[in-house]
């Protein structure tokens, strides 16, 4: 339990809405573990007040901020600098104070990478299929490219968005890494043994019985599934894997590690992976 006093440092979340955020719970546990006196406050920020919110947080000496939908790209013009990787993605979710404002980082990307390592999922050079082409898929796609993937597919309901994301990454890295495919054409994926990263919103609570692909033949082509959704804890996508005796993971560790990476930047204190089971338990208890 946090005791707020005159020494308490403030962190916060800028988003619209922020009512369902789990981040305060994550940061409270991290602060408890590392012995920091800080409070993490959800700050519902209307898009028209975003610049004022950034200025206000700077004036009030916030230790750091997270940024969520719909501000992850819109906030960039109001920052004093941006980390090069976040700049490539074109989205930030973590702000760290510096002399003349805030520097933006993307710990969704690095947090997903750390979560996959924690879960023992390695990213193959070939044979990855990313389902979705929205904001979360974008961070995942750049993570794959940063990890030296040489061939991967982005499949999406709207081909145009998949093509745009593929073009963006291929241009950024100067090589043809990603190929776009329409979601309904999943049967065109050559061969098998794919890592499938699920980054659409299909299957999100309360639509627990939905998956973007409802055909077990697709899952036969895959060896491991990684769903970015964490509510429900086991999605229909994950269940397809379980039914075939294959491993799959939800997005809970991604959520936790994006928080840990932000927390480490704000406090300068490394957070041990030992805290992760406690955070998972607290989040599952809350659900
Ligand atoms: P976006 O709205 O940016 O993207 C949504 C994606 O889902 C698009 O690719 C969209 O396809 C696809 N989609 C939506 N509805 C359907 C449908 N009925 N059939 C097929 N495809 C569909 O959302 P985000 O990228 O921000 O979030 C996606 C998911 O990732 C969410 O469920 C969220 O919970 C999760 N997430 C998890 C995080 C974590 O820390 N674990 C962090 C951020 C997000 P189209 O382009 O055709 O519209």
């Amino acid at each position: 339990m946090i005791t707020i006093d005159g020494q308490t440092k403030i962190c916060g979340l800028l988003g619209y809405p922020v009512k369902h955020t789990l981040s305060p719970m994550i940061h409270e546990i991290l602060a408890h573990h590392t012995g920091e006196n800080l409070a993490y406050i959800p700050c519902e920020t209307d898009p028209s007040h975003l610049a004022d919110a950034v200025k206000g947080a700077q004036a009030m000496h916030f230790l750091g901020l997270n940024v969520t939908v719909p501000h992850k790209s819109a906030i960039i013009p109001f920052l004093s600098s941006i980390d090069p990787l976040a700049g490539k993605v074109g989205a930030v979710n973590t702000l760290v104070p510096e002399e003349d404002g805030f520097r933006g980082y993307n710990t969704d990307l690095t947090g997903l990478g750390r979560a996959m390592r924690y879960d023992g999922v390695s990213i193959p050079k070939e044979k990855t299929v990313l389902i979705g082409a929205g904001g979360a898929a974008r961070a995942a796609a750049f993570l794959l490219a940063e990890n030296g993937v040489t061939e991967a597919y982005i499949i999406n309901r709207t081909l145009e968005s998949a093509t745009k994301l593929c073009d963006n990454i291929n241009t950024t890295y100067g090589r043809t890494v990603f190929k776009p495919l329409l979601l309904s054409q999943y049967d065109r994926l050559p061969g098998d043994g794919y890592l499938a990263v699920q980054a659409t919103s299909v299957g999100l609570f309360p639509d627990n019985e939905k998956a973007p692909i409802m055909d077990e033949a697709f899952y036969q082509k895959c060896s491991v599934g990684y769903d970015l959704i964490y509510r429900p804890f086991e999605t229909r996508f994950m269940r397809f894997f379980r039914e075939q005796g294959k491993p799959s993971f939800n997005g809970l560790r991604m959520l936790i590690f994006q928080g840990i990476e932000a927390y480490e930047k704000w406090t300068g204190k490394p957070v041990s992976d030992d805290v992760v089971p406690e955070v998972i338990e607290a989040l599952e208890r809350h659900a």
Side-chain angles (χ1 to χ4, degrees), residues 132-136 156-158 161 199-202 204 228-230 251 254-255:
N156 195 46
R157 176 180 62 176
T158 311
S161 319
T200 75
S201 45
V202 182
L204 196 58
L228 303 195
I229 291 177
Y230 49 83
M254 175 184 177
L255 176 75

